[in-house]
Amino acid sequence: MTEAEIRSALSSRTLPPEMAFDALQTISALANDVATQPAARELVIRMLAAKDLLRDDFHPLLDGLIRSVGLIPYADPDNARSLDDHYLMEAHRAPIPDEEDYFFHTLQLQIFRDLVAGRNVVLSATTSVGKSMVVDAVIASDLYNVVAIIVPTIALIDETRRRLGRRFAPTHEVVTHPTQQTDFSRPVIFVLTQERALARKDLDKVEFFVIDEFYKLEIDEKEPERSVDLNLVFARLAGQGAKFYLIGPHVSGVTGIAARYNPVFVPSEFSTVALDIVQFDLPEKGDARKEKLAELCGQLTSPTLVYCQSPPRATSLAEYLLEHGNFGKVASTRAAVEWLRREYPEEWILTKALEHGIGIHHGNVPRAIQQYIIRAFDSGEIKIIICTTTLIEGINTVAENVIIYDRRVENTGFDAFTFRNIAGRAGRMRKYFIGKVFVLEAAPPDETMSVEIGVGLQNENTPAALLLELDEEDLAPISRQRVLDIERESPLSMETLRLNRHVPLDRQYAVHTHIVRDLLNLEDALVWSGMPKPFQLLKVCEMIHDHFDGYALSRYGVTSGMGLKAELDRLRLAKTFRSYIDHRVANRAFYQSVSESVEQALKFMRRYVSYTFPRSLLAISNIQAEVLTRNGRETVGDYSTFASRAASLFMNSSLFALDEYGVPPETTKRLKYAGDGPTTLREAVDLLFLAAQDLDSDLDPFERSIVEDLMTTMPPRPMTS
């Protein structure tokens, strides 16, 4: 039989016994040739998906092929007939706690051996290959006392924390939040975003670090902030001698670090699942794609991810499916739906969709609800998630199907690299051997991609924010001259520029000029600490709007410094987030729906008030402090307290931190406590667990289920007498 005939027979499940031996013989021939082994591996996976078609006496033959193509985790140890088979299985046994019967496949074993030998490794491989399992094995090897894992999102922090907590909580301390401190009395695993890593002062002991989604080390010209921070983390940790393991989707090359760190670069097409890709080539405009989406969602019975380009698109698709699809109400999400109706306006599309078994996952959905949706999807409570790149890039889900509705991210067409990354979310090792990908528009043309790591490939376009933070020996000659030019021309000190690295230099200079020009009149408005008086908050809000964030604020309907102050005051004084959201909905633009207004309010709270505003406020604080000090003032402003309060949406910061652990702020905001409340994350967890044990507390069933889930990865501390 030919490869095509085998695929066709397996796909149609028409492989009679008399043809099965011929098929296995063809696969064996392919497996014995290095050039055709990937094709053999794919056919073995497809054969596993149709194993019930084989006679029992053929199973040992298939098992031998599984081992020969390196898919050791799929092999049945009971079918290891020879001594060589037993040796092969034992050589691939993974040293992972509570996973005595887990075996590496051959690529994982190769990477693990390189890492324990002390080599730096860059692994570029498909989504389903199990790159993170190698991290756990390295931790279990006890080679390193202090490990750092750098992930791109807070959602990935929680997913990684849960995995590591289950395996290493008895032996290691897992640190994820800025409030957590460690004395290094036992091995430590830091799980951090790049921003959190740069903010910590205790990473000098890191001996081994991992960067997940390493392709983000290439400088993003449109939004360079996060890629600059990631490069700084890499430079800091690698520069202190820590070994590294960079992992990400398949690319053809990596440049910028070979000369200094000599990493082993492993670009691999190795996969543990096969993909069936169906292309429809439907037009971008019109309803043809929506109709096909509704048709597919009605036919598919297994877990399905629907990728779309943006949150507004997710809303429109959910509305279309609810109107044109046959989605009845489901009992499994009832508790979550009732909670959402209490905390948010009933018209919010997320609530309506969940009521009918459809999840929505994007950056405007509250973090705790995102985590609930993933848990509900993985447990089978819902079968469909409409998502953007927030779910596609990094979060592991158990999905058999991926429907690619758009071939864009926001309004920009994506390339073959992004397409492969999205498609790679279909299928799951040991669960769905064959992932099914339905591409509604034309797929992008196939092309290779190479990652250029910014810290190692400096030129005239390298962001100044990166150069100013690098050590002298890390600067290229052209960068060294650029830094000297900035130092000579800047009206602000290099220290202030470094502290404000997230703000472009010209905007910092504009604020400096503003303050210097009118220092006498501004002094009373600028010199404050703790909580500002109304006129003081108004002045910094005007500076932030006029010099830093005016364009960004306009997208939230905020058009002046006074408008920004008003929104901050409303949020700060609101007894509940629901009351603030209701105010935004009541005063929404005429063209906005209630659902759109809810998501705009959530986005403003999370992305602006909790993230961008504190950074901008601290930048103003740093600039005014330098100007006033230079002008002989003994007292200067310090806005750090107010910035910290804004970052936690004016809640107790330790309780707000539980949001990252899947507990909604709406829940923790209602907890009763004495004085100022908990001061550490652990105290906040204990307060939450105490409320959950109190049958008279006002936690509803949905909230209690969330607390029970948290207890599985962060057990309550023993009660002391």
Side-chain angles (χ1 to χ4, degrees):
M1 295 181 70
T2 66
E3 291 180 49
E5 288 171 339
I6 295 172
R7 284 193 184 89
S8 176
L10 292 174
S11 177
S12 61
R13 296 185 60 81
T14 55
L15 187 69
E18 62 271 16
M19 295 175 61
F21 184 80
D22 287 343
L24 292 169
Q25 201 170 35
T26 299
I27 297 172
S28 178
L30 293 169
N32 289 327
D33 187 333
V34 174
T36 56
Q37 195 170 83
R41 187 178 301 114
E42 184 203 352
L43 290 176
V44 166
I45 293 169
R46 293 180 180 279
M47 188 72 78
L48 279 166
K51 189 176 179 179
D52 59 307
L53 298 178
L54 299 179
R55 291 190 338 225
D56 289 349
D57 57 329
F58 281 175
H59 288 180
L61 296 177
L62 176 59
D63 222 59
L65 287 174
I66 290 170
R67 287 191 289 273
S68 71
V69 297
L71 292 169
I72 310 302
Y74 288 153
D76 184 350
D78 294 336
N79 281 331
R81 303 289 179 90
S82 68
L83 189 60
D84 285 346
D85 287 344
H86 285 288
Y87 277 142
L88 182 69
M89 296 296 291
E90 286 306 310
H92 285 77
R93 189 180 294 275
I96 297 174
D98 301 324
E99 295 280 0
E100 294 179 2
D101 294 325
Y102 188 90
F103 296 90
F104 284 145
H105 54 65
T106 52
L107 176 62
Q108 288 173 316
L109 181 62
Q110 172 195 340
I111 300 304
F112 177 71
R113 287 177 170 172
D114 280 335
L115 290 172
V116 297
R119 301 184 182 96
N120 295 318
V121 175
V122 181
L123 174 60
S124 165
T126 56
T127 301
S128 62
V129 84
K131 298 181 279 286
S132 296
M133 186 63 71
V134 178
V135 176
D136 295 9
V138 171
I139 293 171
S141 72
D142 293 328
L143 281 172
Y144 303 106
N145 282 320
V146 184
V147 172
I149 302 173
I150 310 301
V151 296
T153 65
I154 289 175
L156 268 174
I157 285 182
D158 188 66
E159 178 182 298
T160 307
R161 177 194 65 81
R162 288 169 178 269
R163 187 187 82 238
L164 296 176
R166 286 191 293 267
R167 288 179 173 147
F168 298 106
T171 57
H172 290 66
E173 186 172 2
V174 181
V175 177
T176 64
H177 196 265
T179 62
Q180 291 176 276
Q181 302 300 319
T182 178
D183 59 5
F184 298 98
S185 58
R186 61 180 184 146
V188 177
I189 308 169
F190 290 101
V191 185
L192 308 164
T193 58
Q194 52 263 48
E195 294 87 355
R196 291 188 175 180
L198 290 176
R200 295 195 74 96
K201 307 300 182 186
D202 54 0
L203 298 189
D204 56 320
K205 290 181 170 56
V206 170
E207 303 160 299
F208 173 74
F209 70 97
V210 180
I211 292 183
D212 195 6
E213 308 291 346
F214 74 85
Y215 66 91
K216 295 179 183 291
L217 282 162
E218 182 160 291
I219 299 296
D220 184 339
E221 295 180 359
K222 293 182 179 178
E223 297 181 353
E225 288 184 16
R226 303 207 73 218
S227 53
V228 164
D229 283 354
L230 189 58
N231 274 271
L232 291 173
V233 171
F234 175 83
R236 183 173 299 177
L237 297 179
Q240 68 191 33
K243 298 298 181 181
F244 60 77
Y245 175 38
L246 310 185
I247 56 180
H250 182 73
V251 296
S252 59
V254 176
T255 57
I257 57 173
R260 181 166 180 179
Y261 300 107
N262 192 30
V264 177
F265 174 54
V266 184
S268 178
E269 297 278 6
F270 194 104
S271 183
T272 58
V273 300
L275 292 181
D276 283 339
I277 299 179
V278 181
Q279 298 191 167
F280 292 98
D281 295 331
L282 298 175
E284 177 184 349
K285 299 186 183 301
D287 290 336
R289 282 186 297 147
K290 286 184 177 180
E291 292 167 359
K292 178 57 69 174
L293 174 66
E295 177 187 330
L296 289 171
C297 288
Q299 294 172 349
L300 299 171
T301 58
S302 55
T304 301
L305 298 177
V306 178
Y307 168 78
C308 62
Q309 68 188 60
S310 64
R313 178 78 86 196
T315 295
S316 70
L317 295 184
E319 289 173 343
Y320 188 88
L321 288 179
L322 291 177
E323 184 177 351
H324 295 87
N326 185 23
F327 296 95
K329 294 182 180 180
V330 298
S332 57
T333 62
R334 184 176 299 140
V337 168
E338 290 176 356
W339 184 88
L340 285 167
R341 285 206 171 113
R342 187 184 75 200
E343 301 294 343
Y344 298 94
E346 187 172 352
E347 297 90 336
W348 190 18
I349 185 60
L350 174 64
T351 306
K352 295 179 180 179
L354 268 181
E355 187 176 25
H356 292 81
I358 300 172
I360 299 176
H361 192 293
H362 53 67
N364 298 342
V365 175
R367 191 174 294 128
I369 305 306
Q370 290 182 19
Q371 293 181 24
Y372 161 73
I373 288 170
I374 293 170
R375 291 196 302 272
F377 185 72
D378 287 345
S379 65
E381 294 176 23
I382 60 176
K383 293 293 186 182
I384 296 172
I385 297 182
I386 303 172
C387 60
T388 61
T389 54
T390 56
L391 183 56
I392 292 298
E393 294 181 352
I395 299 296
N396 291 313
T397 54
V398 183
E400 182 174 17
N401 315 300
V402 169
I403 300 173
I404 304 179
Y405 184 86
D406 292 309
R407 56 168 290 180
R408 287 164 297 284
V409 177
E410 292 296 340
N411 294 314
T412 303
F414 57 58
D415 53 19
F417 169 79
T418 304
F419 173 79
R420 288 193 297 269
N421 198 13
I422 296 171
R425 298 293 158 183
R428 184 68 179 264
M429 186 174 178
R430 292 176 169 169
K431 180 70 174 178
Y432 298 112
F433 291 105
I434 301 174
K436 298 177 176 60
V437 183
F438 303 92
V439 189
L440 302 195
E441 289 189 65
D446 197 20
E447 57 185 348
T448 59
M449 174 182 170
S450 179
V451 174
E452 298 181 348
I453 295 180
V455 70
L457 292 173
Q458 300 166 29
N459 54 42
E460 64 277 4
N461 296 319
T462 301
L466 174 58
L467 303 181
L468 292 176
E469 290 278 357
L470 293 177
D471 293 333
E472 178 79 13
E473 60 268 23
D474 292 328
L475 293 172
I478 186 175
S479 300
R480 196 171 294 116
Q481 184 57 52
R482 286 182 62 196
V483 171
L484 289 173
D485 291 343
I486 291 170
E487 188 171 13
R488 184 179 65 253
E489 298 168 2
S490 173
L492 293 165
S493 68
M494 299 297 280
E495 180 184 3
T496 296
L497 296 183
R498 291 188 180 101
L499 288 171
N500 297 346
R501 70 176 179 276
H502 299 110
V503 180
L505 295 181
D506 58 337
R507 298 184 188 182
Q508 295 188 58
Y509 298 164
V511 171
H512 172 272
T513 300
H514 182 153
I515 295 174
V516 169
R517 187 176 57 226
D518 202 16
L519 182 59
L520 289 176
N521 291 328
L522 289 173
E523 189 168 353
D524 286 345
L526 296 177
V527 180
W528 57 269
S529 301
M531 296 299 292
K533 296 176 182 177
F535 80 95
Q536 293 169 331
L537 180 57
L538 175 59
K539 179 49 65 178
V540 293
C541 284
E542 287 174 344
M543 286 186 173
I544 288 171
H545 177 274
D546 295 346
H547 297 298
F548 289 173
D549 302 335
Y551 175 73
L553 284 167
S554 67
R555 291 180 291 180
Y556 303 113
V558 178
T559 58
S560 68
M562 183 176 292
L564 174 57
K565 176 186 178 297
E567 292 300 325
L568 293 173
D569 285 340
R570 288 190 189 97
L571 182 58
R572 180 169 58 90
L573 299 173
K575 291 184 178 181
T576 65
F577 290 144
R578 172 67 189 265
S579 64
Y580 176 73
I581 293 170
D582 284 344
H583 168 80
R584 296 274 305 196
V585 169
N587 293 276
R588 68 188 186 275
F590 72 91
Y591 52 82
Q592 273 189 321
S593 68
V594 171
S595 189
E596 289 169 339
S597 182
V598 170
E599 293 192 4
Q600 186 189 62
L602 290 168
K603 185 176 180 180
F604 175 69
M605 293 162 64
R606 295 302 183 138
R607 297 197 189 183
Y608 188 78
V609 178
S610 182
Y611 182 73
T612 303
F613 175 75
R615 286 185 168 192
S616 298
L617 182 62
L618 289 174
I620 300 287
S621 182
N622 294 329
I623 294 170
Q624 61 82 30
E626 178 175 330
V627 173
L628 289 168
T629 301
R630 281 185 179 179
N631 282 271
R633 305 307 199 267
E634 295 183 2
T635 304
V636 300
D638 179 359
Y639 309 161
S640 57
T641 298
F642 193 77
S644 177
R645 294 209 59 198
S648 57
L649 295 180
F650 304 103
M651 282 180 57
N652 173 284
S653 60
S654 296
L655 289 174
F656 182 74
L658 291 179
D659 180 45
E660 299 177 18
Y661 294 74
V663 185
E666 290 84 356
T667 298
T668 52
K669 199 176 177 74
R670 298 199 315 273
L671 295 180
K672 297 176 176 60
Y673 52 83
D676 294 329
T679 58
T680 67
L681 181 64
R682 186 68 243 190
E683 289 178 4
V685 171
D686 291 343
L687 182 66
L688 177 69
F689 288 171
L690 193 63
Q693 293 163 10
D694 181 2
L695 297 180
D696 293 327
S697 71
D698 60 355
L699 295 181
D700 74 5
F702 175 66
E703 292 168 323
R704 290 184 183 277
S705 70
I706 286 174
V707 177
E708 290 170 3
D709 178 73
L710 178 60
M711 286 180 176
T712 64
T713 56
M714 187 178 283
R717 291 191 291 190
M719 298 297 291
T720 57
S721 57

